Amino acid sequence: MNTATPAPTPSPVLPPTSAGGVGATAPVELQLPIQGMTCASCVRRVEKRLNAVPGVVSAEVNLATERATVKADPALTVEALKHAVEGAGFQVPEQSMQLAITGMTCASCVGRVERALRRVPGVQQAEVNLATETARVTSLGGVSTAALVAAVEKAGYAATADEGIADPGAGAVGQDGAAPRPPTPWSATGGPVLVAALLSAPLVLPMVGMLIGQHWMLNGWWQWLLATPVQFWLGARFYRAGWAALKDRSGNMDLLVALGTSAAYGLSLYGLLTEASHGGHAGAEPALYFESSAAVITLVLLGKWLEARAKRQTLGALAALKALRPDTARVRRNGQDTEVPLARLQRGDLLVVRPGERMPADGRIAEGQSLVDESMISGESLPQSRGPGDAVVGGSVNGEGLLLVTVTALGAESTLSRIVRLVENAQARKAPIQRLVDQVSAVFVPVVIGIALLTWLAWGVAGGDWSQALIHAVAVLVIACPCALGLATPAAIMVGTGVAARRGLLIKDAQALEQARAVTTVVFDKTGTLTQGRPHLQSLTPFEGLSEDEALTLAAGLQQGSEHPLGRAVRELAAQRSLQFPPAVDTRAVAGRGIEAQVQGRPLMLGSQQWLISLGVPTQTLEAASAPAHHQGMTVSWLAERRDGQPPLPLALLAFGDRLKPEAFDAVAELRAMGLRTVMLTGDNRAAAEAVAGSLKLDEVHAELMPEDKAQRVAALRSGGAHVAMVGDGINDAPALAAADVGLAMGGGTDVAMETAGITLMRGDPRLVAQAIGISRATVRKIRQNLFWAFVYNLLGIPLAALGLLNPVIAGAAMALSSVSVLGNALLLKRWKGQTR
């Protein structure tokens, strides 16, 4: 499934035609993309399968456009058509789009938008996030953005295509190369809140005066004059959104606020007009509740403004990532250094990056040496040494040296864009725990309206004061705000994924974030995960009176120019000891055996033990010397000197091994301290695997496994009741990563592993596994706390309001506080310091 960038907009899905007249069920027309067809026979096969699906009126397949036009009953699902195409041996590709949604205020709004999107023919799945105000839509048919936007607008909201981080060169840019920024809306500045507060203050302050025995109450008509603009100008948003919900035969928070405040305002206006019609002599002074309606609207507006500010803080990590990319780049073309907008960069350009500047794009160093700070991208706290040939990432900071960098990736292909997309995808998708909220929000508003109606009837019948009964009903409507329910889960996920991103953890989706907290067993691959993934010369045993340095000098000279991993390991150790390599002449590689050459006039050879045995060296002599290294799982090579008419003379035994990462010891210790079981699965030989397992004190080890064997072992652990996290870095780990409950891929590994895993460790530090599980546990705790408080507000507030123990003003304040407190609690995740228990 493509989640990287929105697919090109295909032909739009046509709306239902009205062949049957008004009210008739007319067929809908779907454009279904199909992959894999090669000839007219394929076309006939697909058409036959599609026409056989119950509900299909007609199906025509075009080989040139690779698209099927299907007329079908509106009740027919695209899944049924997909299965038919797959039954014919072809595929229906998925496409993923993201929309920015405006106008949502609560969990009920989320449900309405999701239902509207899912009703669009061709849409397979729609997930709406209240906190990010985005919708992610997955479709199997050719669904256009226009059709999705129209569906959202019909539901009473506004939608636009949201492509996340823009590609350089895509979209409009100003003269300085920076994309134009939209003006900040008035509502986001807090202007409506300030005006509403100024108009409401003269209405609310007299209520405070009454508590101290002062009568500051304004004349009724002055109260009406102040309350009316608050009700119908500043509160117009509640009427618009509430009316849209009613037209869609559903409800939301705005409908509750509109009904409640309108009832209080209407009752007050009725009393005022009744008094005026009697010339001010209607008896007792009428009860006016203008202050209640105005104060409730003001408090709700304040709550939404504070909520919006808190949302921006929850998106801080994503905004910080997007801000890493500079607006311009210095490019060397034809010997001239020119500053150009980032939008005009091209692959292959030579960038000039001065000390202290950010890398404008991904690239490879062509010239220069420097320390590069990649902390915001990989989470690595220390600057990394980079020189010619090394890759650098756009957004990282150059240290003290001037670098010339050749651009290798731009826009959506860049590492930064991929990171941002992963974080956005994780924040846009729902956690499984959100299903409970969705079920509650679907019936919440109708139930609250029913409770409010019963409250009004019960108080009116019991006390006979229908005005006071209405105020109690208003309090029920106002206190029952489902905003907190809608924000509880996504707000915590947004902050949790942001904290993870800053620590070098990329979480692909909310499901992986939620499942990681339940892990009981962590399974590691060995090579490249717990070990450094490349051989080192672990020991060197000289013979024939040679010293270690003398034997190492001969071996390094023999390996000059060799790209074999063992040859590089020999040269690295010799360079560490500052040994000078003697030149080698008449070098010859022997396939599958080793290498030989003349070094310092001596005919030397370096290769496998079997090679020397085949040339007549006694087996027992070699095996006795190499047995300890073999028992530790090391790879053994022999340095020997050829002799005329005699077997070669062994000069030194070289034992190679893959060193453990220093961080691996702490990683396993932290996981054990968390009460987790640790297992290692490897394709390496048993001796090497058991040596690693013994050093790290792993609970279980399985060696000499093929990729499918690893997946089977993971499946066996799961069937035994374990909740398994698999950590790997190679293509051979992909099946096991997919088989686990949670897959964690090392960022230095292959793209296949990173695509399969739910969590990517941006640097090859196994200690991040415990960090990922710790962040998951902390995030899920916040989600549960938020849901608890969101439900408690309503479970306690609604009965108190129905019993007449809350007036509408206090109810409005409590409702606003519920959303802000949920967001504030989620933001506390930013203080997470790495506790893993």
Side-chain angles (χ1 to χ4, degrees), residues 697-715:
K697 299 180 180 178
L698 298 174
D699 295 307
E700 190 176 334
V701 60
H702 300 277
E704 300 173 0
L705 301 177
M706 298 296 289
E708 57 270 23
D709 297 329
K710 291 184 179 182
Q712 290 171 4
R713 292 283 183 180
V714 169

Side-chain angles (χ1 to χ4, degrees), residues 40-60:
S41 176
C42 299
V43 170
R44 287 195 298 272
R45 196 159 80 243
V46 174
E47 286 182 342
K48 182 179 179 181
R49 288 275 189 166
L50 288 173
N51 281 309
V53 176
V56 170
V57 178
S58 65
E60 295 180 354

Side-chain angles (χ1 to χ4, degrees), residues 1-18:
M1 183 176 68
N2 176 23
T3 57
T5 54
T9 303
S11 303
V13 176
L14 300 180
T17 56
S18 54

Side-chain angles (χ1 to χ4, degrees), residues 126 162 165 206 268 276 280 381 398 410 508 554 625 676 726 732 759 791 812:
D162 179 13
I165 187 169
S268 302
S381 57
N398 183 22
L410 292 168
K508 184 182 291 185
L554 293 175
L676 304 180
M726 172 69 196
N732 62 331
I759 300 174
F791 279 115

